[in-house]
Amino acid sequence: MMRWQQKDNLRLGSNLVELLLRQRRPFLMVDFIGSFSPGAPPALEAGRQITANEPWFDGHFPGLHIWPGSLTIEGLGQTAS
């Protein structure tokens, strides 16, 4: 399991992320904000917990769970917003 290092005292869980973003499950690709540094350049660390029960794995690909790259791009866009 990957652990995020907190650069500041910021850690936002899924309830607060849902207040900040308009997307909802299953299309919400951000579970938490790990850290934010407003310096130059600003830095933000966010993530999502992925399990084998995700609906995307039913068809991509049966028997060989591969996370779709388009959902990674969507997660990046949601994090940036």
Side-chain angles (χ1 to χ4, degrees), residues 42 78 81:
Q78 290 179 18
S81 68

Side-chain angles (χ1 to χ4, degrees), residues 66-77:
I66 298 176
W67 186 255
S70 59
L71 297 179
T72 300
I73 299 300
E74 176 65 22
L76 289 170

Side-chain angles (χ1 to χ4, degrees), residues 40-55:
L44 177 71
E45 292 181 2
R48 177 175 175 174
Q49 299 294 324
I50 300 173
T51 67
N53 296 325
E54 297 282 346

Side-chain angles (χ1 to χ4, degrees), residues 23-41:
Q23 290 85 358
R24 295 294 173 255
R25 301 212 176 276
F27 294 104
L28 180 61
M29 298 295 151
V30 179
D31 279 340
F32 64 89
I33 304 297
S35 71
F36 174 72
S37 297

